[in-house]
Amino acid sequence: MHPRRPDAQHGIAVKALETAKSRSVTSFSALLGVLFIWIVYHFYQRDLQESGSWGCEMSWMSPSYQLVEWQDNPIPRYQVYLYREQGLEMESSLIGHPVIFIPGNAGSYQQVRSIASSAVRQYREQSSLRQGTTKLDFFTIDFKEDFSAFHARTLSTQADFIRHAVRRILAEYNHLPSSERPAQVTLLAHSMGGIASRLAVTVEDISSSVDAILTMSTPHLTPPLTIEWNMEQIYQTISHPIRPLLISLCGGISDTQVVSDSCALPSTLLSEDDGFATFTTGIPGVWTGVDHQAIVWCQQVRYLIAKTLLQMASIQSRIDKLSIARSTFLGDYSLRSSHVDTHSFPITSTGMTVIAEPKTEDSHIDLAVQHCTDKCRDIPLTHSIVPRPRNTNAPFPLPGEGVKRDEKLLVVDVGPRGVDGVLEVHTDSHRIIEAGSRKVMTSQTSTWRADDSSRNATSLTLSFPKCRSSSLLVHKVRTILTGCCDGLRPIIQHVSIPSYPFQNVTSESRSYPNTKSGQSIFLHSHVESIPFQTGESTASGVTLRIIQQSDCRVEQLQISLDTFGILAKIVTRYRMTFLSWPLGWIAVVMLMQLQVLRRDGRFPSFGDGLEQVGRHWLLGCCVLLGVVNIVQACLGTTLHLNTLMLGTIDLALLPLVIFMALWTFSLTCVAWFGVLFTNASLRTMVLRAFGRGSQESNHTINTHPSRSVFLMCLIMVLVYLFIPHQLVFVVSVAVLWASLIWKDRIDISDDFGNTILFLMIFLLPFKATTLLVWGRSLWTNWQHPLSIEHNILYVGPAVLLTALCAGGSSPKQKNITIQICRMSLFTFAIIAFSCGSRWTWMLLPIAHIVLLTLVGMIW
């Protein structure tokens, strides 16, 4: 073995330096992309720690499940079980009101156990105290933990099974007299189970057999994955009002699997008389965000759900059922009148607030307020319940515990008819802590300071109209307190102002008790201005309510925009952007490659094209996207352009569009270097296993086009009869990748093949999700697999490209085919950037057209 000559070593060093220089923009962008990933992940974790922390007490139960016999089950893959709490439910026959639990994506039928167990125990306690309580019979559907969020056909099959299950379960009560048989069931659904439930009740006879649908962390507005047209069709089908009551409980920031923006309910779907949506941070007795899976077992939540279902089952009126739900989850109920214990307070203003704490854990409230001068008159009042943790030094919510049911305050607002006389508060259930004036103030600056009138206020409502409102924004509030704050500290409550589509139907609030001087709290709302949903530019501001005592008051409050909090919000809201916009950049790079092919007659490597785009086109593309966003903001309200780009029509968020453009380009560079590294690693493994091949062996991989056509026809027949087309696409990617690695072994560079491979790799997520559903269905029950589409039109281009590239074909310098291919790529890039974030499913059919035009280039 001869040593390498110095001049040869110098030549290699020079070549390496030239390569590094030629990849300077791409390399810098890749490093920038990795840096962005670290920064965004850091602030995402910080956001979860500061704003998304949740405190749920663990629940316990003794579950058992009885299979419901079903000889003519129309969908044998799925089953229905009856839940029974061991040691408490010994009945052999069904006599209660049926409740059907619908699990979500990959959810288990056993998730019903937490709520069902709480309902059984509450029924035992209530039936011993009073008569008229109706028992609940919990049924649960076993969907074999199928991935319903990934596959629309699976979701439709589940909805069809729910319809049959409703009829089958009602038939279980045929042994009862006709007057005692339940005529309706209640659907209790988690996650995507709520969408399956709403789809099931679109059939008229099933709709009349369901009295209410209670959903937990269900994405009602948009699908979690927008890569299927069939899923969009399902959401279009359920976008119309339904007959059953619809109640949606949302977990808020703590839910990292489903963006709680889509958990809201719009007024186009239901009115105030048909249901509502609310967030767990504002539910009295809960007051905490809840994780996506924890919402079915969180003690505070499951207790209230079971309590509500028990009360609703005991009455028949639709209005009364809704009233019960509103009283439990919104605190919207009438106060009882009592004249047992009377407290008198001087009237200091025409708006007064009374703060009281409960004497016991009993949920009822006996309280009345009168304005007394020469005689006493009842005056109207409004009330709310806020948390008051006993441990003022512990974090809120307390992890693992949250807030106990008796750790709360009753805040009553009244409007006396004048400032003369006294205010008399009659209550037997509460102890009065303080009563004072109520002030409403507006701050035109970001800093508010207390004056003489506000320092004496027990309740203070502050509005900051110049603060922008969006579910993408986070505001930081810093408070300065004055006085002796050893006891009750001020309670700050952030009341979200829903944008127009969600007013009167969706509510959200969050309380911050135990406020300390100098402490910063972070405000965020899901319902103010939602990307892809709100078709108007809203700047309604931020509204805060402060509940305070005279010995500890808020002296100063400063609000500012938490810029880095925006980075935390884009992680879950723009998942599809991280798939669609890199595809747009790939199309732009391929346009650059075709330009070089048309001009010089050679097809450059994808790395060269990526570098040239970074040098010459990146800035122009970012400016173009910014201009499009400006046009979208100006015309978004009139032309309904709110679903394009990033779904924002607020010019203040223009930097976000530029940032996402740069970041997705950087991620494309990172992915390209990842493919190069993988290729190098695989090539090393192949060389160690087989050694280096000769140049003559290149002739053995050539394939005649007629053989490719025959192979494609054979595969299309197999797809039409047996296998899903997604499997063929994945196999095509694997075959193409293997052929390129084999070419690298014999030192043959295939720039066109590597470009096609990179494009097809980014198309894999569109195929892999459906393939995952199909494979898992075979694994769990091969006798009854899920139905998968066999679209042969999605097979040909990928198979032909793979066969031709593996056979050594290269693109031809034909102007007509190049122009056609450029047009398809240009269309693909426009759709990717403009519609890819929301209407991601549009990219797949256009991508197959692009693959077909690429076949024409090398045929």
Side-chain angles (χ1 to χ4, degrees), residues 460-489:
L460 184 62
T461 301
L462 294 177
S463 296
F464 295 86
K466 292 188 177 182
C467 293
R468 308 201 74 84
S469 301
S470 173
S471 65
L472 294 172
L473 301 181
V474 178
H475 293 91
K476 182 169 65 174
V477 178
R478 187 173 184 269
T479 56
I480 302 297
L481 306 182
T482 183
C484 180
C485 298
D486 295 333
L488 176 65
R489 295 197 181 110

Side-chain angles (χ1 to χ4, degrees), residues 490-528:
I491 301 173
I492 298 178
Q493 188 179 45
H494 176 214
V495 181
S496 300
I497 304 175
S499 57
Y500 175 74
F502 308 100
Q503 291 177 359
N504 304 323
V505 179
T506 300
S507 63
E508 180 185 17
S509 64
R510 183 166 184 173
S511 299
Y512 301 86
N514 302 340
T515 306
K516 298 180 181 179
S517 185
Q519 176 187 10
S520 295
I521 60 177
F522 294 86
L523 310 179
H524 176 258
S525 173
H526 296 84
V527 298
E528 289 179 337

